């Protein structure tokens, strides 16, 4: 298994390897507001998407 994983490094160039970022999706929006509905949200709370609750207040809905 280790040999198979190691061989992936030779299949991808350095730029492609860096673009994978370890499979982690970077979250850019921290606080949900009326202007960020539909955007990704994240730390310090859960990773998710900005939406509204039943009162119409914006909040981060977990993935």
């Amino acid at each position: 298994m280790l040999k198979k994983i190691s061989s992936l490094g030779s299949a991808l160039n350095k730029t492609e390897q860096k673009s994978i970022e370890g499979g982690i999706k970077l979250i850019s929006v921290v606080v949900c507001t009326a202007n960020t509905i539909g955007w990704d949200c994240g730390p310090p709370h859960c990773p998710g998407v900005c939406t509204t609750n039943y009162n119409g207040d914006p909040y981060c809905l977990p993935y």
Side-chain angles (χ1 to χ4, degrees):
M1 174 102 172
L2 181 59
K3 287 183 181 181
K4 288 181 181 180
I5 293 171
S6 297
S7 69
L8 288 175
S10 62
L12 303 172
N13 65 37
K14 291 290 181 186
T15 305
E16 291 169 329
Q17 290 175 25
K18 289 179 183 177
S19 70
I20 293 173
E21 298 178 13
I24 298 172
K25 183 176 181 179
L26 299 177
I27 305 295
S28 58
V29 175
V30 175
V31 178
C32 294
T33 66
N35 295 330
T36 60
I37 301 301
W39 292 15
D40 290 329
C41 53
H45 44 284
C46 63
V49 65
C50 291
T51 187
T52 56
N53 62 14
Y54 61 90
N55 289 332
D57 298 326
Y59 79 105
C60 187
L61 177 67
Y63 289 127

